[in-house]
Structures are given as C-alpha cells and as structure tokens.
Amino acid sequence: QVQLVESGGGLVQAGGSLRLSCAASGRTLSNYALGWFRQAPGKEREFVAAISWTGGGTAYADSVKGRFTMSRDNAKNTLYLQMNSLKPEDTGVYFCASRPYSGSYYPSEYNYWGQGTQVTVSS
C-alpha cells in the first residue's frame, strides 16, 4: 500500500510559479512510475506529466510542455512538479498517482492516488 500526500498548491497570479510536492509513505517508490493529473471544476481528470520509475523518462501534456518540470527524489520518496508561467487554464486540483514501473497517460491505470492540492491561477 502506498499513501501519497500532495502539498504546495495555492493562489498565484498568471505568469507566476508554484512547486508541488508529493510525499509517499508505506512503500518505497523506487519501482513505481509517478504521474501528475489535474481536474478543473466540471471537467474530467486530465494527464499533466509522468515520470518513469528510474526518473530517466518523462512525458508532459502539450498544454504544459516547456512550462512544467517533473522530478523525483527516490531517496526522499518524493515527487515534484515545478510549474512556471502559470495560466488561468492551469487552475484545478492537482493529484499525484503511482503505478508499477512504466508511466501512463490514463488515470484508470494508476493504483494509488493522493487527495489533491488546489492550484488557482488568477488573471
């Protein structure tokens, strides 16, 4: 069993930055791929970024490519999402999730989820 807890969300003006963290407990994340997803009110949960269990491979949604950077620290059992040049359309609840080994674009393929952290970007 893996427990995931996100933090770092908040209110920021357009063009600003936030750094989200996802702390894991219960099991080491070393053999797990990790993903960030977000969900805006009235919309489906959407893929933001994923990173392989080694940290050597990352994938990003086109909407965040070049602005967001995902990283992981297996020694600290922690996942990060650095978000720069934020836009109002980035607003939503951000979730981290894990699944064994390889990442995926699809929320249904992740086994464990955090409770989410709210990100609000004002125009």
Side-chain angles (χ1 to χ4, degrees):
Q1 192 78 1
V2 176
Q3 291 82 42
L4 302 172
V5 179
E6 303 92 338
S7 62
L11 174 64
V12 64
Q13 288 188 333
S17 298
L18 283 174
R19 188 193 194 205
L20 304 184
S21 297
C22 174
S25 61
R27 179 178 281 187
T28 178
L29 290 180
S30 299
N31 294 331
Y32 286 80
L34 299 165
W36 284 102
F37 293 80
R38 66 188 181 190
Q39 189 166 17
K43 294 189 177 182
E44 292 187 354
R45 194 167 297 188
E46 66 173 359
F47 171 79
V48 174
I51 189 167
S52 66
W53 70 281
T54 63
T58 54
Y60 297 92
D62 287 343
S63 59
V64 307
K65 206 170 289 184
R67 300 188 296 121
F68 290 11
T69 303
M70 184 177 188
S71 60
R72 64 187 296 166
D73 186 335
N74 285 346
K76 295 183 178 180
N77 244 18
T78 302
L79 174 69
Y80 304 99
L81 185 67
Q82 178 66 42
M83 306 187 295
N84 298 328
S85 302
L86 282 161
K87 304 176 181 180
E89 50 263 44
D90 294 319
T91 294
V93 178
Y94 282 69
F95 300 89
C96 65
S98 67
R99 68 185 301 271
Y101 299 112
S102 60
S104 170
Y105 298 111
Y106 305 105
S108 61
E109 296 186 356
Y110 285 79
N111 305 98
Y112 302 106
W113 290 84
Q115 294 300 306
T117 184
Q118 177 70 44
V119 172
T120 303
V121 184
S122 63
S123 57

